[in-house]
Amino acid sequence: AQSVTQLDSQVPVFEEAPVELRCNYSSSVSVYLFWYVQYPNQGLQLLLKYLSGSTLVKSINGFEAEFNKSQTSFHLRKPSVHISDTAEYFCAVTHNTGFQKLVFGTGTRLLVSP
Amino acid sequence: GAGVSQSPSNKVTEKGKDVELRCDPISGHTALYWYRQSLGQGLEFLIYFQGNSAPDKSGLPSDRFSAERTGGSVSTLTIQRTQQEDSAVYLCASSLEGTAERTQYFGPGTRLLVL
């Protein structure tokens, strides 16, 4: 069985500051990792994913995450946040063969203030 | 192209009533998933359909919950004799199985409130 831990339920940050949202996972098999974002009153949108290859993956809006197998982590970072990044961010894991049920973390609410 | 759509967007019902939630996946996607998002439980997997295979129902919380997928496309999640603890946002997702993409695309959800 897999599990995902997002230790920070809420992260307040000022605009243009850097941010890191932490994600740790547990799995007995190889995994794929995802970050989804949920803006207020909207559905989940894929932000970025790690399937294989380079352990550093990037989104089109400046976020990046690095897969660290030894630390079982997939932390999300952005060097300079905008007000529009205010949202809830979910880390998710699935095993890399067969059925792909996503196991989600509890989410981290990013609050960006001016 | 069109994304995953769900209807209704909001549903208010009385305890004990049955409800049906609908999901239209992205055209051509062979896999369809239902999840539930609630304050107490976070995001939970409910059920998974893939092609003509038997669905994986391992996440359904009770026998009051059922789902079907007709013609490999539209899916309906039915909750019988609703309870207040069923109040949640029900999310549907679809994906292309058998490819390297491995991405589930989510609909906007149906917000269910059981009074």
Side-chain angles (χ1 to χ4, degrees):
Chain A
Q2 294 132 353
S3 66
V4 177
T5 301
Q6 293 181 251
L7 287 174
D8 305 307
S9 59
Q10 188 165 291
V11 173
V13 64
F14 289 110
E15 193 175 20
E16 298 183 7
V19 71
E20 178 180 83
L21 306 184
R22 295 179 293 168
C23 172
N24 287 88
Y25 70 92
S26 172
S27 177
S28 58
V29 297
S30 295
V31 298
Y32 294 141
L33 293 153
F34 303 82
W35 277 98
Y36 280 86
V37 58
Q38 187 173 37
Y39 298 102
N41 299 313
Q42 295 188 27
L44 290 167
Q45 301 175 30
L46 179 69
L47 188 59
L48 45 75
K49 61 187 176 186
Y50 169 77
L51 304 181
S52 64
S54 172
T55 57
L56 182 66
V57 291
K58 299 183 179 184
S59 72
I60 59 173
N61 59 350
F63 283 93
E64 63 180 38
E66 186 157 21
F67 170 55
N68 188 318
K69 189 174 182 180
S70 63
Q71 297 186 5
T72 61
S73 67
F74 191 54
H75 301 328
L76 182 69
R77 302 183 181 93
K78 188 171 185 180
S80 175
V81 295
H82 303 289
I83 297 284
S84 59
D85 292 325
T86 294
E88 187 138 20
Y89 293 78
F90 292 92
C91 183
V93 64
T94 185
H95 57 76
N96 67 357
T97 58
F99 169 44
Q100 302 172 42
K101 173 185 73 172
L102 284 169
V103 175
F104 287 91
T106 50
T108 297
R109 185 171 299 277
L110 177 63
L111 296 170
V112 183
S113 55
Chain B
V4 178
S5 61
Q6 294 185 245
S7 60
S9 54
N10 290 281
K11 177 73 176 178
V12 180
T13 190
E14 294 178 347
K15 177 181 174 180
K17 301 281 190 182
D18 298 351
V19 295
E20 285 189 352
L21 312 179
R22 177 187 168 104
C23 172
D24 283 87
I26 293 172
S27 178
H29 279 192
T30 55
L32 187 147
Y33 310 77
W34 284 97
Y35 294 86
R36 179 169 71 173
Q37 185 175 24
S38 57
L39 283 177
Q41 302 297 323
L43 274 155
E44 309 169 273
F45 162 77
L46 296 177
I47 188 170
Y48 158 73
F49 296 90
Q50 162 58 359
N52 295 321
S53 302
D56 185 314
K57 306 179 182 180
S58 60
L60 294 179
S62 78
D63 58 8
R64 296 186 295 105
F65 288 72
S66 63
E68 62 178 19
R69 188 178 185 191
T70 53
S73 182
V74 171
S75 177
T76 302
L77 177 69
T78 301
I79 309 174
Q80 295 178 309
R81 305 181 302 282
T82 51
Q83 304 294 313
Q84 289 181 331
E85 62 263 29
D86 300 333
S87 295
V89 178
Y90 290 82
L91 295 168
C92 176
S94 69
S95 71
L96 272 173
E97 294 295 292
T99 72
E101 194 192 58
R102 303 287 185 172
T103 297
Q104 293 182 26
Y105 297 90
F106 284 80
T110 293
R111 189 175 299 272
L112 175 66
L113 178 61
V114 182
L115 300 177

